[in-house]
Amino acid sequence: MSLGREDLIHSLAKSMGMGDAQKAKYTAGKYNAETGNIFCNGHVITKNTIEQSRLYFLNQYRKLAGRDDEGAKDLANIYEVALEAINMMVESGKPDTP
């Protein structure tokens, strides 16, 4: 997957030491199903980091979902949203099986 013009500009700026300036500008990420990586804000989030994130949100959800506390349940719902978003992203990149 080739980087777009904006991604290239951000990557060049980051390589020239303007990494902190990058934080002021948010760009939507692009998921590459072939590599399993996400390209966003001028950097790459690897397949391994995505899987670590998925497991983190799953574990946090499991810790909080069963508690008898409204705040914990609200936080569990937030973790569940993040977990489901990761799962949807990864599943959408898989080829359809007959």
Side-chain angles (χ1 to χ4, degrees), residues 8-27:
L8 180 59
I9 291 169
H10 289 297
S11 293
L12 290 171
K14 187 175 181 180
S15 70
M16 295 173 63
M18 303 214 25
D20 290 337
Q22 294 293 94
K23 294 177 184 175
K25 178 153 175 94
Y26 173 80
T27 57

Side-chain angles (χ1 to χ4, degrees), residues 72-88:
K73 288 181 189 252
D74 288 344
L75 193 52
N77 285 335
I78 292 170
Y79 287 130
E80 187 175 23
V81 168
L83 175 62
E84 288 304 314
I86 292 169
N87 287 337
M88 282 186 221

Side-chain angles (χ1 to χ4, degrees), residues 7-92:
D7 293 329
L8 180 59
I9 291 169
H10 289 297
S11 293
L12 290 171
K14 187 175 181 180
S15 70
M16 295 173 63
M18 303 214 25
D20 290 337
Q22 294 293 94
K23 294 177 184 175
K25 178 153 175 94
Y26 173 80
T27 57
K30 296 170 188 81
Y31 179 69
N32 182 330
E34 291 178 19
T35 63
N37 296 332
I38 300 174
F39 298 90
C40 68
N41 295 323
H43 66 279
V44 176
I45 300 172
T46 66
K47 183 178 182 177
N48 185 47
T49 301
I50 294 167
E51 179 60 16
Q52 288 176 342
S53 298
R54 191 189 70 74
L55 290 174
Y56 171 80
F57 288 119
L58 175 62
N59 289 330
Q60 293 302 100
Y61 169 77
R62 286 179 176 166
K63 285 179 189 176
L64 298 173
R67 291 192 182 172
D68 190 23
D69 174 88
E70 198 61 35
K73 288 181 189 252
D74 288 344
L75 193 52
N77 285 335
I78 292 170
Y79 287 130
E80 187 175 23
V81 168
L83 175 62
E84 288 304 314
I86 292 169
N87 287 337
M88 282 186 221
M89 176 188 64
V90 171
E91 287 299 316
S92 71

